[in-house]
Amino acid sequence: MAGRRGGCGGSDFRGSPTTIAIGAGIFFGCVFAFLFPNGLFAFPSAARRANMSVRSLQISSTACESPEKISVLKSKVATFSEKNAELKKQVRELSMKIQLSEQGKDQAQKQFLTLGLQRKAGPFGTVKGLRTNPTVLPDESVNPRLSEILEKVALQKELIVALANSNVREMLEVWFENIKRVGIPNYLVVALDDGTESLCKAKDVPVYRRPPADNVDSIGRTGGNHAVSALKFQILREFLQLGYSVLLSDIDIVYLQNPFDHLHRDSDVESMSDGHNNTTAYGYNDVFDEPSMGWARYAHTMRIWVYNSGFFYIRATLAAIELLDRVAYRLSNEPMSWDQAVFNEELFFPSRPGYDGLHAAKRTMDIYLFMNSKMLFKTVRKDAQLQKLKPVIIHVNYHPDKLQRMKAIVEFYVNGKQNALERFPDGSQ
């Protein structure tokens, strides 16, 4: 009996401390889980810490910053805003330059595609090669002051340009008085000294005074006709770079009509000729005879009298600018060279071993409209029918007594004085 009481379950429970400890742990764990859901040593979350920091900074800022400091901060903010606006402006300008560069690249690519495009030849007599080079993309950065003047003076991106100094004052007056009489608005005198600039301003003549340039400026002030004539190739380049086509004119020229009404504009260079008839002006087959060669004694040569470098229309193309560069370079390195000879050599000489010729299109002007003084005094004035023609311009390039002949030409063609040209010899004797 006693043994069976000792085996009862109540007697076993009281005797197991492990079971009691486990039960107590579970009980207290449940209590703490209920009372402290975030843990007994919980820390605030990152968001709460950030909010607390902001509130503490705001409190400290409000407490510490004075009105003077706030004003300083506002001033700095304004300064940074101005700098930011300036940077944005620079970025826009850079973007525009990049766009212009890309346009130039696109133009070159289009030209290459046009030239390189393979085409089938059309029927006999219908095939025409390319004649006109595209104009260059204007670059106003070359000469902003000149660009501003040209915008006011030029018409359809073209104008007459003449270089002059005080040595030719009287001829210059005859030159621009006849231009005004004809009613040509788009012309400009490049004054090479202060006296010429003052004259043009006093006579209401569009004028551009070049900035001083050492040796170039001294040539402009004191140089004769040939020195000034050579200088014009350097000056002319800026006009073309700015995108303007130029009718370059010496001042020993009398204008009787508007030349822009008689240009073809289908070539890089369109020039008057020194030829005095159709053969010499437009070209001919000149046969050279060498009897010692026997059967092969006759050699055929192609001849043309030179273009006059004192009156030509030049378009704003790369080929035209290359021509100016070539001529200016040779004249600066070959002091004894004549500008008109160099002008024609670079324009006409073909490519050959050791030399790349200029790929420029050229046209000879009508010799009866754009007339030289040899043709006038040797032929036209003696022919009753030719006297009835009215030239566009007459260039007194063959004679030294330029001013007297210019005035006589005005008397004959403008004032109708029939004997105005009679007192002059054919030549310069």
Side-chain angles (χ1 to χ4, degrees):
M1 294 284 298
R4 285 193 294 271
R5 284 196 299 270
C8 174
S11 176
D12 290 339
F13 177 79
R14 287 191 302 268
S16 178
T18 303
T19 303
I20 295 171
I22 293 172
I26 293 172
F27 174 76
F28 284 110
C30 292
V31 171
F32 278 108
F34 179 75
L35 294 178
F36 305 101
N38 292 324
L40 183 60
F41 302 102
F43 295 96
S45 64
R48 288 180 62 196
R49 288 197 303 273
N51 290 334
M52 289 170 65
S53 299
V54 170
R55 284 198 297 272
S56 63
L57 286 173
Q58 289 175 345
I59 293 170
S60 62
S61 175
T62 304
C64 298
E65 289 183 0
S66 63
E68 291 78 6
K69 290 184 178 180
I70 293 175
S71 299
V72 171
L73 290 174
K74 288 182 178 179
S75 176
K76 289 183 177 180
V77 170
T79 302
F80 288 139
S81 298
E82 291 177 0
K83 289 183 178 181
N84 186 41
E86 186 178 350
L87 287 173
K88 286 183 178 179
K89 181 181 178 181
Q90 292 177 356
V91 169
R92 286 196 300 270
E93 291 176 352
L94 183 59
S95 299
M96 291 178 63
K97 289 181 179 180
I98 292 174
Q99 289 176 0
L100 289 174
S101 177
E102 289 297 326
Q103 289 177 7
K105 179 181 177 182
D106 292 342
Q107 183 178 358
Q109 289 176 342
K110 289 177 182 178
Q111 182 179 0
F112 174 77
L113 291 174
T114 301
L115 295 174
L117 185 64
Q118 290 183 311
R119 301 168 183 263
K120 289 184 178 180
F124 180 81
T126 64
V127 177
K128 298 290 183 183
L130 295 176
R131 284 171 170 76
T132 306
N133 286 315
T135 55
V136 299
L137 189 69
D139 183 5
E140 295 182 1
S141 65
V142 171
N143 191 331
R145 186 167 68 90
L146 177 58
S147 177
E148 186 177 349
I149 294 173
L150 295 179
E151 287 181 5
K152 300 175 183 178
V153 175
L155 290 179
Q156 298 181 344
K157 304 291 284 187
E158 59 185 13
L159 73 162
I160 299 171
V161 174
L163 278 67
N165 59 22
S166 296
N167 293 338
V168 291
R169 180 188 178 100
E170 290 184 275
M171 280 196 294
L172 178 61
E173 291 191 64
V174 176
W175 182 84
F176 63 64
E177 283 171 0
N178 281 278
I179 284 182
K180 288 182 176 182
R181 180 185 52 77
V182 173
I184 304 169
N186 50 329
Y187 70 101
L188 180 70
V189 174
V190 178
L192 301 177
D193 56 25
D194 295 334
T196 303
E197 181 184 21
S198 299
L199 171 66
C200 290
K201 288 182 177 179
K203 299 292 185 177
D204 195 26
V205 172
V207 62
Y208 165 64
R209 177 70 166 100
R210 295 188 68 256
D214 300 332
N215 63 320
V216 173
D217 194 49
S218 64
I219 292 173
R221 290 194 306 269
T222 61
N225 287 341
H226 286 299
V228 173
S229 184
L231 177 62
K232 66 193 174 190
F233 293 98
Q234 300 178 37
I235 297 174
L236 190 57
R237 191 186 204 275
E238 291 185 355
F239 287 82
L240 270 61
Q241 281 185 279
L242 291 171
Y244 291 86
S245 297
V246 172
L247 182 56
L248 187 75
S249 172
D250 282 353
I251 60 166
D252 55 345
I253 292 175
V254 177
Y255 286 78
L256 302 171
Q257 298 186 60
N258 191 331
F260 293 107
D261 296 335
H262 301 273
L263 297 176
H264 290 263
R265 300 176 179 84
D266 62 348
S267 303
D268 298 295
V269 177
E270 193 168 344
S271 178
M272 72 170 294
S273 171
D274 271 1
H276 57 94
N277 52 37
N278 289 348
T279 302
T280 56
Y282 306 139
Y284 62 101
N285 180 11
D286 184 31
V287 180
F288 176 76
D289 183 11
E290 190 176 5
S292 63
M293 288 297 295
W295 173 81
R297 63 183 292 179
Y298 300 110
H300 291 258
T301 67
M302 303 309 298
R303 300 285 298 277
I304 183 173
W305 286 35
V306 295
Y307 282 178
N308 191 286
S309 63
F311 189 86
F312 60 87
Y313 178 76
I314 185 165
R315 296 178 62 246
T317 67
L318 291 178
I321 294 175
E322 183 183 358
L323 170 63
L324 297 178
D325 288 349
R326 287 181 177 220
V327 176
Y329 175 80
R330 285 189 55 187
L331 292 176
S332 63
N333 289 276
E334 302 171 12
M336 301 304 294
S337 295
W338 180 30
D339 68 287
Q340 181 160 291
V342 174
F343 175 73
N344 280 271
E345 288 171 1
E346 293 298 334
L347 195 55
F348 283 97
F349 281 176
S351 298
R352 58 181 185 269
Y355 174 79
D356 290 328
L358 180 72
H359 298 277
K362 46 197 171 289
R363 168 183 281 271
T364 306
M365 291 177 171
D366 188 322
I367 59 174
Y368 290 97
L369 296 180
F370 300 91
M371 190 182 299
N372 60 60
S373 59
K374 178 177 181 178
M375 188 168 182
L376 172 64
F377 287 97
K378 187 177 179 181
T379 305
V380 173
R381 68 169 175 168
K382 301 175 183 179
D383 189 305
Q385 294 300 318
L386 293 178
Q387 286 184 18
K388 297 177 182 179
L389 297 175
K390 187 177 183 180
V392 176
I393 63 102
I394 296 177
H395 189 178
V396 188
N397 60 316
Y398 270 102
H399 300 88
D401 50 343
K402 297 179 181 296
L403 181 60
Q404 292 74 19
R405 292 189 187 240
M406 288 176 72
K407 290 180 178 179
I409 289 169
V410 174
E411 288 293 322
F412 182 83
Y413 283 101
V414 178
N415 300 328
K417 189 176 180 180
Q418 294 301 309
N419 63 345
L421 304 176
E422 292 180 1
R423 63 188 179 93
F424 296 97
D426 289 354
S428 57
Q429 67 271 16

